[in-house]
Amino acid sequence: MTTEILPCTCADKSNKWGEVRMPVELMAKVDDIYATVSSTAGGAALPGLNAVDLVATGGVLDLGTVDPSYNRLFLTLEVDAKLDIDGVPVWTPPITADLALIVQLTLSN
């Protein structure tokens, strides 16, 4: 699945990228989930953001190093669902999930 994500707009009107956290409900239903982030739909992955193993990161995708001049990014998730005892996926498409973008606030002076 692919979705468009937007940065947080700071009080000074600048953009800032933070963390994208996968919902606990989604993480509980997957064996594997990989995230790729690009600046254009279907484009090449940004450095360090190609097939990031979100199971290994606890469902957190850190975008804090992404260039704040990007007005939007494209997040592609590749998901392998967990299977029930009969070998049937515990969920089947479509699945709706709300992704939370978390921005760390930094105050100075």
Side-chain angles (χ1 to χ4, degrees):
M1 66 183 134
T2 300
T3 189
E4 190 175 299
I5 54 177
L6 304 172
C8 174
T9 302
C10 302
D12 66 0
K13 304 297 184 204
S14 65
N15 290 340
K16 183 171 179 87
W17 294 100
E19 294 178 343
V20 177
R21 295 179 178 262
M22 298 298 120
V24 174
E25 300 83 7
L26 175 63
M27 295 302 293
K29 295 181 179 180
V30 300
D31 282 325
D32 298 301
I33 183 167
Y34 296 95
T36 298
V37 179
S38 60
S39 61
T40 58
L46 295 176
L49 294 172
N50 186 32
V52 177
D53 183 349
L54 295 182
V55 171
T57 66
V60 177
L61 178 63
D62 186 2
L63 300 177
T65 60
V66 171
D67 184 341
S69 68
Y70 289 118
N71 291 324
R72 74 186 56 190
L73 296 174
F74 295 86
L75 170 64
T76 300
L77 299 176
E78 294 180 35
V79 180
D80 288 327
K82 287 186 178 180
L83 302 178
D84 68 16
I85 197 165
D86 297 320
V88 177
V90 294
W91 63 270
T92 54
I95 186 170
T96 301
D98 290 326
L99 304 180
L101 178 65
I102 309 299
V103 176
Q104 176 88 25
L105 296 178
T106 303
L107 302 177
S108 61
N109 297 336

